[in-house]
Amino acid sequence: MYVESIELNNFRNYKSLNISLDQGINVFYGNNAQGKTNLLEAIYIGGTTRSHKGSKDKELIRFGNDESHIRMMVRKQNQQSKIDMHLKKNRAKGIAINGTPIRRASELLGFVNMIFFSPEDLNMVKSGPSERRKFMNMELGQLDSYYLYHLVQYNRILNQRNALLKEIPYQGNLMDTLQVWDEQLIQYGSVLMKCREQFAETLNSIVSKLHFQLSGGREHLEVFYEPDTPLEQFEERIVKERERDLKFRTTTAGPHRDDLSFMISGVDIRKFGSQGQQRTCALSLKMAEIEMVRKAAHDTPVLLLDDVLSELDSERQNCLLDGIRDIQTLITCTGLDEFIHHQFSINKLFKVTSGTVKVMNDTIG
């Protein structure tokens, strides 16, 4: 699968843009603050409906305008499809696939599989649990519509339950309705926990081999799912924590507090690993995502690398570049030294300057 072209109107610092992409390695270079990351962000939104930065739709629209458009042509299993996305300041975005509007943004997830890798992702291991849950949710959401449905429902129920917990102190008669939300929270949450446990097992089998190679055969990495509450105790825990939830006016137990742990020789590298170990682990996780998409979707994802190469040493650069030769990759960088030094082939080269993109050469290297 690959993106054939991307067209933007009034997106971030792009007034108008229409470029064709190669199905191999596409490199966008230029100085900082010219629009390289904005371009990758637009493509990621076009495939997943959301910004990797968590930006709101109104923040994506070019200053002085009320709406923005993203149009992508993608080729999946030799069939061409068009994705149209209409971003608006004060209304929900509109999305159409091949001219047919979709009712929910979640329907687009899985249509195109995308993996975004930025320097911030190298801190995923040492960051808080929310970043690792985001990693699980994004990968599972693209690959498993069953999981995505239950995640959307769980978050909806969680928000409604939390709103109820805030109202009960003022309206005691609402207490009887709490049981209804608890039952639904357990129903949807249990599915999330089962899917995440299986995800962690599959991830572990892939990432351990990749990490062993990246570490030069020195380290054996293990990934474990850390549920906030064991599945068999989930219902009991929700009931047990009800009084505490009422006190703090929020739901204190459930899969919205889950985590992943990373162990090397019995040491939890989230807390005690060196920076090098943590960054190697993060790189292994991103490379494992590629393999998981290949196996689950029987296709390759689109890989978006936002100025990541400059954050990696030469050994890790080589491992990453060697692993992406057969998939469409869009790379941003400030210079081309990494590619020249590694004699790495570039299929299409673009120079980005102040919201304009110029094709420099079709093949380099």
Side-chain angles (χ1 to χ4, degrees):
M1 193 236 101
Y2 60 94
V3 178
E4 291 186 322
S5 64
I6 178 76
E7 182 180 350
L8 304 178
N9 293 103
N10 296 323
F11 182 91
R12 293 287 196 186
N13 68 325
Y14 289 98
K15 181 178 181 180
S16 180
L17 175 71
N18 191 349
I19 57 172
S20 297
L21 301 169
D22 190 272
Q23 65 185 88
I25 306 299
N26 301 265
V27 173
F28 299 84
Y29 78 100
N31 294 330
N32 291 325
Q34 302 302 303
K36 301 187 301 295
T37 298
N38 294 345
L39 180 56
L40 294 199
E41 181 182 31
I43 293 171
Y44 189 74
I45 292 170
T48 67
T49 78
R50 64 191 69 183
S51 165
H52 69 287
K53 300 177 181 179
S55 301
K56 297 177 180 178
D57 286 358
K58 63 181 180 181
E59 297 168 346
L60 304 171
I61 299 171
R62 191 167 181 263
F63 183 76
N65 292 271
D66 294 322
E67 56 187 49
S68 173
H69 291 84
I70 300 172
R71 300 179 184 90
M72 282 196 330
M73 299 300 297
V74 302
R75 187 163 291 276
K76 186 175 182 181
Q77 297 173 345
N78 294 321
Q79 183 174 351
Q80 189 185 62
S81 299
K82 181 174 68 171
I83 298 172
D84 286 292
M85 194 168 294
H86 188 185
L87 308 177
K88 308 165 190 177
K89 269 192 176 180
N90 302 311
R91 287 185 290 166
K93 62 172 66 71
I95 306 170
I97 300 175
N98 294 325
T100 303
I102 59 176
R103 292 187 303 164
R104 295 183 298 272
S106 59
E107 292 178 43
L108 181 63
L109 277 181
F111 185 79
V112 180
N113 289 297
M114 293 191 171
I115 297 173
F116 201 108
F117 193 9
S118 68
E120 290 76 21
D121 290 317
L122 288 167
N123 297 319
M124 182 192 345
V125 175
K126 70 177 181 180
S127 297
S130 63
E131 288 301 308
R132 293 182 285 275
R133 285 194 299 273
K134 178 182 174 183
F135 167 73
M136 285 193 287
N137 288 337
M138 199 66 231
E139 186 60 23
L140 274 167
Q142 289 193 81
L143 296 176
D144 187 347
S145 58
Y146 178 74
Y147 177 86
L148 179 61
Y149 170 78
H150 284 81
L151 177 64
V152 170
Q153 295 303 315
Y154 179 85
N155 287 334
R156 179 179 64 84
I157 299 300
L158 179 66
N159 289 334
Q160 290 176 327
R161 187 179 191 271
N162 287 339
L164 181 62
L165 290 168
K166 292 177 174 65
E167 289 294 323
I168 285 176
Y170 307 103
Q171 299 184 55
N173 61 325
L174 294 175
M175 186 69 186
D176 292 339
T177 64
L178 193 57
Q179 179 64 30
V180 176
W181 298 116
D182 287 358
E183 290 172 357
Q184 294 184 69
L185 196 75
I186 293 163
Q187 174 190 344
Y188 293 115
S190 296
V191 172
L192 299 187
M193 294 165 75
K194 291 175 184 175
C195 291
R196 288 175 179 177
E197 183 175 21
Q198 179 145 10
F199 170 79
E201 290 176 1
T202 303
L203 177 65
N204 184 61
S205 66
I206 297 172
V207 79
S208 59
K209 296 175 184 176
L210 290 168
H211 189 86
F212 186 74
Q213 295 171 353
L214 282 170
S215 65
R218 295 186 299 272
E219 295 177 348
H220 293 272
L221 174 68
E222 292 182 284
V223 179
F224 297 100
Y225 171 49
E226 281 191 352
D228 175 63
T229 303
L231 178 59
E232 61 273 12
Q233 299 174 20
F234 185 31
E235 183 173 0
E236 178 185 346
R237 176 90 186 278
I238 290 295
V239 175
K240 182 180 178 181
E241 299 293 347
R242 188 175 290 173
E243 188 173 332
R244 185 167 179 249
D245 289 355
L246 286 165
K247 178 181 178 181
F248 291 101
R249 301 183 186 183
T250 191
T251 305
T252 56
H256 59 287
R257 299 173 67 90
D258 286 351
D259 201 353
L260 285 174
S261 66
F262 311 102
M263 309 293 289
I264 294 177
S265 301
V267 176
D268 186 345
I269 64 169
R270 293 174 303 181
K271 302 173 183 176
F272 305 110
S274 67
Q275 185 180 37
Q277 285 178 316
Q278 292 172 339
R279 290 165 77 88
T280 302
C281 178
L283 178 57
S284 300
L285 290 170
K286 282 295 176 179
M287 293 179 69
E289 279 191 79
I290 298 172
E291 293 304 313
M292 293 187 78
V293 171
R294 279 193 176 115
K295 290 182 177 181
H298 305 292
D299 203 349
T300 55
V302 175
L303 180 61
L304 310 173
L305 301 179
D306 187 23
D307 201 24
V308 171
L309 294 180
S310 62
E311 299 291 323
L312 302 173
D313 59 31
S314 59
E315 185 177 351
R316 292 177 178 86
Q317 283 180 5
N318 281 332
C319 285
L320 177 58
L321 292 174
D322 287 343
I324 64 176
R325 291 182 186 273
D326 62 338
I327 67 174
Q328 185 183 42
T329 306
L330 282 69
I331 303 175
T332 66
C333 57
T334 53
L336 303 175
D337 292 347
E338 293 98 339
F339 303 98
I340 295 171
H341 179 69
H342 296 298
Q343 297 182 331
F344 189 77
S345 179
I346 299 173
N347 299 104
K348 204 160 189 178
L349 180 66
F350 303 85
K351 185 173 183 179
V352 182
T353 309
S354 300
T356 62
V357 179
K358 181 180 179 181
V359 181
M360 302 303 290
N361 263 353
D362 285 340
T363 304
I364 294 179

